[in-house]
Amino acid sequence: MSFWWSQVERAAPRPALDGSIEADVCIVGAGYTGLWTAYYLKRAQPALRVVMLEQRFAGYGASGRNGGWLANSITGGREQYVARHGRAAVARFQQLANETVDEVIRVAAAEGIDADIHKGGEFTIATDAAQLGRLRAFADAERQWPESGVQLLTAREAAARIDVAGVQGGVWHPHTARIHPAKLVGGLRDAVLRLGVELFEGTHVESIEPHHALTRRGVVTAPVVVRATEGFTAGFPRFHREWMPLNSSLVVTAPLPESVWAEIGWQGRETLGDMAHAYMYAQRTADDRIAFGGRGKPYRYGSGIDADGRTPAATVAELGALIERFWPVLRGVRLDHAWSGVLGVPRDWSATVGLDRASGLAWAGGYVGTGVASSNLAGRTLADLILERDSELVTLPWVGHRVRKWEPEPLRWVAVQALYALYHAADRAEANGRPTTSPLARLADLVSGHR
Ligand SMILES: Cc1cc2nc3c(=O)[nH]c(=O)nc-3n(C[C@H](O)[C@H](O)[C@H](O)COP(=O)(O)OP(=O)(O)OC[C@H]3O[C@@H](n4cnc5c(N)ncnc54)[C@H](O)[C@@H]3O)c2cc1C
């Protein structure tokens, strides 16, 4: 399991479903998406019977394992929506994504959830010339969207924030906070239980059908069934090729002494990422460790997922080596924990939320590594869709967004292996002095439909 869960005492499990029942809304999956949806539904209509079905325990999935970036990202980028929805609508979408970060912070405070939240902004660095080129282009593009709040930093300014070896420049914006993922998801579970949501844990859903969720322990019948299973979605034959499960891995260092922080900086507790193709993401934890993640073994044949977060030794070594390259002062540092999780990637790398009224099937996900905040916006949007509220949220560009399915195996496996081989080769070439983005990476982008 994740380091985050090792720091938190898990609540006693809720009982499994025992027989067939009826509900107003049935939610499959108790991660952030399912829990936020349940939360806003019950806040709006306390009498609603909301039933949640979770195969293991609330927060078992990515919501209890992620890097803890509560970020304002629009998954897949803004530009894709401009032609159809217009610039003003997309700018408003960004504004709402910014506000979503504050909404999570607000609810956490209101519900007494101490999730180690610190809003220090999001900091992205370039550590070679090709990365710097992409960083500058990114900053130029972001300037067209004042809502993004992005500032370009020189190498010196970047190093003054976090002193990463060889840093050549950076960008920073204020709309991201660091969180403790398990504390947030555990607190949300308590909050929805207080509101009277019926949560059944240890209950695997075999199939989601119009108005029904089928389990071996009984059937839940409801006008609306919400699919909130993100990276696990491929496990349902009906949705097998909808979102590709991509694995991502993290390691966490031992707590670091003040003398080390004096060298590294990181006083602002920003989230830290880079411009590599196989990018890294990190945070300084509340107990002064570095949690550091990146893609390990990204994809398993047939959309397989990791076993309870176990992580190959080669991935741990790779992440450890990158930590030492970033901060030579950490040579030989002890890594206390390594874990993996699975996230869901749609064919166009863009998240979606929606409800098909005829079948009563609702969904949200495909956040590609940005779901910590997006799931809150998705949960509020699903609540409005289900309650047929005529709100601004139900008009946002990602609502009802659909995209073609992924290719069947073995094509998908071959393509993803090739993709990551290309990204890694491009990173190596760039780190070794290639001054501009490697054509290998451009080819990989083309194959993947990414960017
Ligand atoms: C390693 C890693 C790092 C990440 N870092 C970040 C980050 O820093 N910032 C960010 O914004 N995003 C990040 N993400 C993505 C983010 O964590 C997810 O987008 C988000 O948690 C998705 O929430 P969810 O509720 O939709 O899915 P999940 O949290 O995966 O929840 C799905 C739930 O459904 C349950 N389930 C699945 N199938 C069934 C079934 N058949 N029957 C019953 N229950 C079922 C699962 O057990 C699980 O509890 C990261 C993801 C990973 C894996």
Side-chain angles (χ1 to χ4, degrees):
M1 269 282 87
S2 72
F3 165 72
W4 310 118
W5 276 123
S6 78
Q7 288 201 309
V8 173
E9 199 176 331
R10 260 193 13 236
R14 301 295 298 175
L17 184 69
D18 186 18
S20 295
I21 56 173
E22 293 192 4
D24 294 313
V25 179
C26 172
I27 298 173
V28 180
Y32 299 138
T33 299
L35 291 165
W36 281 123
T37 306
Y39 180 80
Y40 289 106
L41 280 170
K42 286 295 272 187
R43 295 281 302 183
Q45 285 195 15
L48 220 56
R49 186 172 188 194
V50 178
V51 165
M52 297 188 79
L53 303 174
E54 165 56 49
Q55 60 179 355
R56 299 288 292 272
F57 59 86
Y60 167 75
S63 300
R65 310 189 199 190
N66 60 75
W69 290 34
L70 176 66
N72 68 336
S73 316
I74 292 182
T75 320
R78 302 176 206 99
E79 300 298 334
Q80 58 171 328
Y81 295 120
V82 172
R84 231 173 115 206
H85 299 270
R87 249 191 118 72
V90 179
R92 180 68 189 140
F93 190 11
Q94 183 61 64
Q95 187 64 38
L96 288 167
N98 294 353
E99 290 170 14
T100 297
V101 171
D102 296 325
E103 169 67 3
V104 173
I105 296 172
R106 183 193 70 75
V107 177
E111 297 293 341
I113 303 171
D114 180 0
D116 296 343
I117 301 176
H118 183 95
K119 194 174 174 191
E122 182 173 325
F123 181 45
T124 308
I125 55 166
T127 56
D128 60 44
Q131 286 189 27
L132 187 60
R134 286 197 293 279
L135 186 90
R136 287 188 175 138
F138 170 74
D140 282 348
E142 290 296 287
R143 265 194 221 107
Q144 311 303 313
W145 298 93
E147 304 74 18
S148 74
V150 163
Q151 302 167 20
L152 183 63
L153 308 176
T154 63
R156 188 193 289 259
E157 288 165 340
R161 280 187 178 272
I162 306 176
D163 198 357
V164 173
V167 65
Q168 303 206 1
V171 291
W172 178 87
H173 73 73
H175 303 295
T176 292
R178 169 207 78 188
I179 65 149
H180 187 299
K183 289 184 183 175
L184 179 61
V185 78
L188 277 176
R189 175 189 188 271
D190 295 344
V192 304
L193 291 175
R194 282 196 299 273
L195 289 170
V197 168
E198 294 165 63
L199 169 64
F200 296 96
E201 294 185 310
T203 304
H204 180 80
V205 173
E206 306 289 326
S207 171
I208 297 176
E209 304 294 335
H211 314 296
H212 296 93
L214 277 54
T215 84
R216 295 210 171 125
R217 315 182 61 96
V219 175
V220 179
T221 305
V224 176
V225 180
V226 178
R227 171 163 54 85
T229 51
E230 243 257 312
F232 301 85
T233 301
F236 296 108
R238 189 190 181 104
F239 305 111
H240 185 61
R241 285 164 52 203
E242 194 143 325
W243 295 335
M244 180 170 67
L246 265 198
N247 297 285
S248 189
S249 306
L250 285 118
V251 294
V252 70
T253 67
L256 303 174
E258 230 1 271
S259 56
V260 167
W261 292 112
E263 290 203 35
I264 294 177
W266 213 333
Q267 298 305 319
R269 268 80 173 167
E270 307 88 342
T271 61
L272 172 69
D274 74 357
M275 292 300 288
H277 301 291
Y279 56 81
M280 52 66 61
Y281 53 91
Q283 66 152 282
R284 176 175 174 178
T285 66
D287 59 347
D288 278 339
R289 305 163 183 264
I290 296 175
F292 195 101
R295 298 249 168 73
K297 194 167 190 281
Y299 180 68
R300 286 156 207 245
Y301 189 82
S303 286
I305 56 167
D306 68 272
D308 287 345
R310 276 190 287 278
T311 303
T315 302
V316 179
E318 215 179 297
L319 291 170
L322 201 51
I323 289 176
E324 295 186 10
R325 201 183 93 201
F326 269 37
W327 300 287
V329 62
L330 293 183
R331 190 151 296 140
V333 70
R334 195 180 80 224
L335 300 180
D336 275 352
H337 210 107
W339 71 101
S340 301
V342 65
L343 42 95
V345 183
R347 191 66 183 83
D348 65 351
W349 299 68
S350 300
T352 163
V353 45
L355 163 64
D356 178 65
R357 291 208 182 275
S359 63
L361 294 179
W363 67 90
Y367 312 113
V368 200
T370 68
V372 175
S374 312
S375 57
N376 172 279
L377 188 58
R380 283 186 278 148
T381 306
L382 278 175
D384 284 357
L385 285 168
I386 292 166
L387 301 175
E388 299 191 39
R389 286 166 151 187
D390 206 4
S391 74
E392 180 184 23
L393 297 188
V394 304
T395 68
L396 289 177
W398 68 335
V399 176
H401 179 75
R402 286 185 192 267
V403 66
R404 75 182 163 93
K405 292 186 190 327
W406 285 96
E407 291 73 3
E409 299 290 17
L411 211 61
R412 181 165 27 157
W413 188 81
V414 172
V416 180
Q417 298 306 309
L419 208 70
Y420 281 90
L422 287 171
Y423 281 136
H424 282 290
D427 280 334
R428 273 194 305 274
E430 292 172 12
N432 287 331
R434 197 196 145 81
T436 54
T437 292
S438 163
L440 296 175
R442 295 197 200 286
L443 179 65
D445 287 346
L446 209 66
V447 174
S448 66
H450 187 204
R451 280 170 268 185

